[in-house]
Amino acid sequence: MTWILAIIAAICAVGWVFSWLSFKTLAHYFKEKGYPMPEEKDIKRNSDSIIKEILSKLPVLFL
């Protein structure tokens, strides 16, 4: 049982590292190209929109 938990934790950790790396790469690209970074209100608006989209598709994911 402990091995299963360790394997699941390792898989999640690898996924988190790839997500973090993708974000850092995109942020660096934006800075390098001189694109303006998003403001707090833009982040909130887009986060709310994405959360609603994911939640609307949630029942489909479990079929």
Side-chain angles (χ1 to χ4, degrees), residues 23 30 36-51:
F23 169 76
F30 281 176
M37 294 308 239
E39 296 178 6
E40 189 67 30
K41 65 180 181 178
D42 296 327
I43 294 172
K44 173 139 178 53
R45 185 183 73 239
N46 289 317
S47 296
D48 290 346
S49 174
I50 295 300
I51 290 170

Side-chain angles (χ1 to χ4, degrees), residues 14-55:
V14 169
W16 180 85
V17 167
F18 279 115
S19 294
W20 176 74
L21 182 60
S22 298
F23 169 76
K24 295 295 276 185
T25 302
L26 188 60
H28 178 73
Y29 177 79
F30 281 176
K31 284 175 113 175
E32 187 178 82
K33 294 294 183 180
Y35 295 133
M37 294 308 239
E39 296 178 6
E40 189 67 30
K41 65 180 181 178
D42 296 327
I43 294 172
K44 173 139 178 53
R45 185 183 73 239
N46 289 317
S47 296
D48 290 346
S49 174
I50 295 300
I51 290 170
K52 286 178 186 175
E53 180 182 331
I54 289 171
L55 290 177

